[in-house]
Every structure is written in structure tokens, then in C-alpha cells.
Amino acid sequence: DAKTTQPPSMDCAEGRAANLPCNHSTISGNEYVYWYRQIHSQGPQYIIHGLKNNETNEMASLIITEDRKSSTLILPHATLRDTAVYYCIVKSGGSNYKLTFGKGTLLTVNP
Amino acid sequence: DTGVSQDPRHKITKRGQNVTFRCDPISEHNRLYWYRQTLGQGPEFLTYFQNEAQLEKSRLLSDRFSAERPKGSFSTLEIQRTEQGDSAMYLCASSLLGSGGETQYFGPGTRLLVL
């Protein structure tokens, strides 16, 4: 699986959009971009994933660049409960089964 | 609540004792994974099952670790002769093979402290 690079930490004001970047310059054509988050002492929570197109769900939006070498997770209206470590993971579908987590980005939402 | 449950949520044991953890995946999911997470690090893959078959084990899984998934439903992870270095959060996840990208859903984890 391709390696990802994320900033170690970011701050965001409550109510504002949080934009979390991820670089995955070695991504292959069949590899998905996944985002998970982990709130302190809990299991990782799935947020969203995408292959080529931008995706949106009730939690967030995922913007993938046209060359697929980077992506941005957008939390449109961050709340204090969004404070967590956010992991960007690249994984191919099917037989390549495991998730390889890096250290992620610690997002702190401030009041 | 993702639908993946783990038991117990916390376990304190003395070095040398055996411990067993249980994971109940989302009912229709045919793949089940175990990960381990130490303080300040992301989760690391340990092993996974497709139905009842254990298909891969990480080098992190020493001979003291054994996992089973009888009948392809719940899974157990046993650690024999625990060591202080086994102290970690043990996470279980499940997924449905063939579901585009195959999203894994995690349980709340079992936090193990070996004294």
C-alpha cells in the first residue's frame, strides 16, 4: 500500500471548517483513500473513503486531486467532539486486506 | 456504536498469566481482523480471518498469541504467559468481502495492562 504523509497536528475554531490534508504521491490506480478518526481511548471510527471522485456523507467530504496524489478531508462545521486523531490510509480493495496506520493528525477544535 | 463488540473492555493481569479476549463482529461480515495499539502509535495489524480460516498472521504475533474464529462468527485472541510489553489496546474490526474497498469497522477495544 502507498505511504501517506499528514501533518502531526492542526487547530480549528469551533463552527469553522476543518481541512485536513494528506499526501499519497505513490498511490496506485486501484487503491482507495480511507479516513478514520480516533477519539481518545476509543476504537477507530470510519469516516469516509474514495477512489477517484470526491465523496460526501453525513460526517465529512473527501476531496481527491485529479492526479490522486493528495486528498483533503473536510469537516464542514467542526465541534468540540471532533477533537481526535485523524488517519489517512491508502488501501487496495479485495485481497489486500489490512489497514496500515501512520501517526495521523491530531485535530484540536477550540471553543 | 459500529456493531462490533469486544469483551472485556479492560483487563489487568500479572506477568505470566494467560488472558483471552473476545470479539463479536457485525453479523453478516465474513472478515475479522485483530490490531494492537500501543501508546502514541497507530493501530498495527496482527491477524485476520475470512470466515473461520486464519489467512495471515503478522510477525508481531509471537508464539504466545493465538487467535481463533470457530464457525466464522465471534473470535478470541489469547495471550499466554503475558509480558509487560503486551500492555496495549487490542482492537477488533470486521468487514464484508467484496463490498467496494471493503470498509473495516472497529470495536471499542480491550485495554490490557500487564503488571
Side-chain angles (χ1 to χ4, degrees):
Chain A
D1 292 329
K3 188 177 172 65
T4 62
T5 304
Q6 298 178 255
S9 64
M10 292 183 65
D11 286 311
C12 177
E14 189 177 19
R16 304 297 293 269
N19 297 283
L20 292 91
C22 179
N23 287 319
H24 31 78
S25 58
T26 61
I27 193 169
S28 301
N30 66 343
E31 289 182 318
Y32 291 80
V33 179
Y34 273 84
W35 283 85
Y36 284 80
R37 72 180 182 184
Q38 191 170 26
I39 296 169
H40 183 61
S41 295
Q42 298 182 20
Q45 178 187 21
Y46 165 75
I47 301 173
I48 198 167
H49 74 283
L51 185 61
K52 295 179 182 178
N53 299 321
N54 298 337
E55 302 288 344
T56 295
N57 63 20
E58 64 279 4
M59 287 183 69
S61 295
L62 173 60
I63 307 298
I64 302 174
T65 58
E66 194 169 339
D67 63 6
R68 302 186 72 239
K69 293 186 177 182
S70 66
S71 61
T72 301
L73 178 75
I74 301 172
L75 307 179
H77 305 287
T79 71
L80 299 179
R81 289 181 296 179
D82 292 322
T83 293
V85 177
Y86 286 76
Y87 296 100
C88 169
I89 300 167
V90 169
K91 185 181 87 69
S92 59
S95 61
N96 195 343
Y97 36 83
K98 59 187 171 185
L99 297 172
T100 302
F101 289 80
K103 292 198 171 183
T105 296
L106 173 59
L107 174 69
T108 302
V109 180
N110 300 305
Chain B
D1 183 4
T2 62
V4 179
S5 61
Q6 293 187 246
D7 184 68
R9 295 291 307 278
H10 303 274
K11 179 72 176 179
I12 301 174
T13 191
K14 293 182 179 179
R15 190 176 54 182
Q17 297 295 306
N18 299 344
V19 294
T20 300
F21 309 141
R22 176 178 171 128
C23 171
D24 286 89
I26 295 171
S27 59
E28 65 269 25
H29 283 187
N30 45 18
R31 282 190 169 175
L32 185 149
Y33 310 78
W34 286 98
Y35 292 81
R36 181 173 70 185
Q37 186 174 25
T38 54
L39 208 58
Q41 304 296 316
E44 295 174 291
F45 170 80
L46 291 179
T47 187
Y48 94 103
F49 293 83
Q50 184 167 308
N51 300 312
E52 65 276 9
Q54 187 174 17
L55 296 187
E56 176 152 339
K57 295 190 287 186
S58 160
R59 287 172 292 178
L60 294 175
L61 215 62
S62 77
D63 291 344
R64 297 183 296 105
F65 287 70
S66 63
E68 293 183 342
R69 192 184 182 199
K71 302 179 183 179
S73 56
F74 71 92
S75 175
T76 58
L77 177 68
E78 180 183 17
I79 309 174
Q80 296 182 327
R81 305 181 303 282
T82 52
E83 302 173 355
Q84 288 182 324
D86 297 330
S87 295
M89 170 89 91
Y90 290 84
L91 293 158
C92 175
S94 70
S95 68
L96 181 63
L97 174 62
S99 57
E102 202 184 312
T103 300
Q104 294 181 26
Y105 295 91
F106 284 82
T110 294
R111 188 172 294 282
L112 173 67
L113 177 61
V114 182
L115 301 176

